[in-house]
Amino acid sequence: MEIIIQPTPEAATAIAARLIAGLIREKPAAVLGLATGSTPERLYAQLVDLKLDWTKITTFNLDEYVGISPQHPQSYHSFMWEKLFRHVNVAIKNVNIPDGLAKNVPASCEAYERKIAAAGGIDLQLLGIGTNGHIGFNEQTSSLASRTRIKTLTPQTRKDNARFFGSEEAVPHHVITMGIGSIMEARQCLLLAFGKKKARAVAEAVEGPVTAMNPASVLQLHKKATLIIDEEAASELKLPDYYRWVYDNKPEWQKL
Ligand code: F6R
């Protein structure tokens, strides 16, 4: 795992934007795995400003709430169109987001997995992290081998996401999420985490045991996982100075 600690979310986001922009320029038909939530908002704004060519890019989002329509202001469909897709020249046919209104959820999840495979797999999977260590909506105790499927949100996640819905009661209980096994097949994983609230989950994910009690800890088993975090999110790490030294002294050819 590579841990990059930056003074602010802005500085961390700038590195993530450079990394993704570099991939899009190098591989114009790249397949991107995308996340929603507060964490990547600034990143999407920066990618929009870079005026990249998205015409051949394919995207797969991690998750969607069950039972709310794509037009619902808090659906992840709405989020993605609002924050990114409507500002770039992505082809609608290349945008994939789990269907929260699917009549046959298992069939729809299997189709999503097949589509990822048919696209050649995900080149880079962007991730946030829940305060309980979830990635996608793979809550604590999710199978580390799981595939795209329906999940039930924990009370903690519904509380965390109440800020988007106005109240906790309005947050759906069910979601469709790519599985941990699906995420682990991406050729690169890029996790962003900002703020004190994420510090414990980050420390456990990076320096704790690999455990379904902190789903992000599975990234310790990924061959190319990068975490870009701010000082606050890094505040409970045991080896922050080591990670800083590594990043500051990268050989020239390895610099991001
Ligand atoms: C969203 C997702 C979630 C969020 C996580 C953090 O697509 O998969 O894992 O990344 O809940 O959310 P924020 O960024 O709002 O703190």
Side-chain angles (χ1 to χ4, degrees):
M1 258 177 170
E2 178 173 26
I3 318 299
I4 302 176
I5 303 172
Q6 291 293 295
T8 60
E10 288 76 12
T13 298
I15 296 175
R18 273 212 308 278
L19 210 149
I20 295 175
L23 172 64
I24 293 177
R25 289 191 187 108
E26 220 170 86
K27 189 172 179 186
V31 179
L32 301 179
L34 299 176
T36 56
S38 307
T39 309
E41 278 195 40
R42 211 178 269 110
L43 171 64
Y44 293 148
Q46 288 197 13
L47 289 175
V48 169
D49 287 347
L50 287 172
K51 303 212 181 315
L52 301 158
D53 183 8
W54 290 73
T55 48
K56 294 191 188 131
I57 296 291
T58 298
T59 65
F60 287 92
N61 262 81
L62 280 168
D63 39 22
E64 179 57 287
Y65 292 105
V66 166
I68 64 175
S69 78
Q71 289 75 34
H72 187 289
Q74 296 313 330
S75 77
Y76 285 165
H77 280 74
S78 295
F79 177 98
M80 289 309 300
W81 286 100
E82 194 49 45
K83 306 292 176 195
L84 180 65
F85 297 145
R86 77 183 178 88
H87 307 286
V88 296
N89 61 351
V90 71
I92 293 181
K93 67 175 174 50
N94 293 341
V95 167
N96 300 280
I97 303 176
D99 180 2
L101 293 181
K103 293 237 160 41
N104 184 337
V105 171
S108 164
C109 293
E110 276 169 34
Y112 202 70
E113 289 275 341
R114 278 198 303 273
K115 232 172 160 187
I116 295 174
I122 291 173
D123 288 302
L124 182 142
Q125 177 65 58
L126 180 65
L127 298 165
I129 184 171
T131 54
N132 59 7
H134 73 216
I135 48 175
F137 271 140
N138 296 285
E139 297 283 38
Q140 289 171 304
T141 71
S142 284
S143 158
L144 300 184
S146 50
R147 313 300 306 188
T148 304
R149 70 212 182 290
I150 194 164
K151 282 295 290 180
T152 305
L153 295 180
T154 59
Q156 181 62 53
T157 299
R158 293 185 64 245
K159 198 174 187 172
D160 288 345
N161 287 6
R163 68 191 192 280
F164 299 114
F165 286 84
S167 76
E168 212 173 307
E169 296 69 51
V171 182
H173 282 270
H174 291 110
V175 291
I176 292 175
T177 180
M178 275 168 60
I180 297 178
S182 329
I183 291 169
M184 287 294 281
E185 282 173 10
R187 287 182 271 284
Q188 180 172 10
C189 286
L190 173 62
L191 186 146
L192 304 181
F194 309 137
K196 188 88 195 105
K197 269 192 356 210
K198 302 292 174 74
R200 184 152 183 202
V202 166
E204 285 173 357
V206 175
E207 296 169 339
V210 173
T211 166
M213 283 304 284
N214 181 316
S217 65
V218 76
L219 295 174
Q220 293 176 35
L221 298 173
H222 195 283
K223 57 185 183 301
K224 199 168 179 194
T226 304
L227 271 70
I228 311 184
I229 61 182
D230 70 352
E231 286 291 352
E232 287 189 1
S235 59
E236 292 190 32
L237 287 168
K238 294 193 185 84
L239 304 175
D241 292 341
Y242 173 64
Y243 309 134
R244 283 193 196 95
W245 199 93
V246 170
Y247 183 68
D248 292 343
N249 293 279
K250 267 174 178 289
E252 209 50 49
W253 57 268
Q254 219 189 29
K255 289 203 164 126
L256 292 178

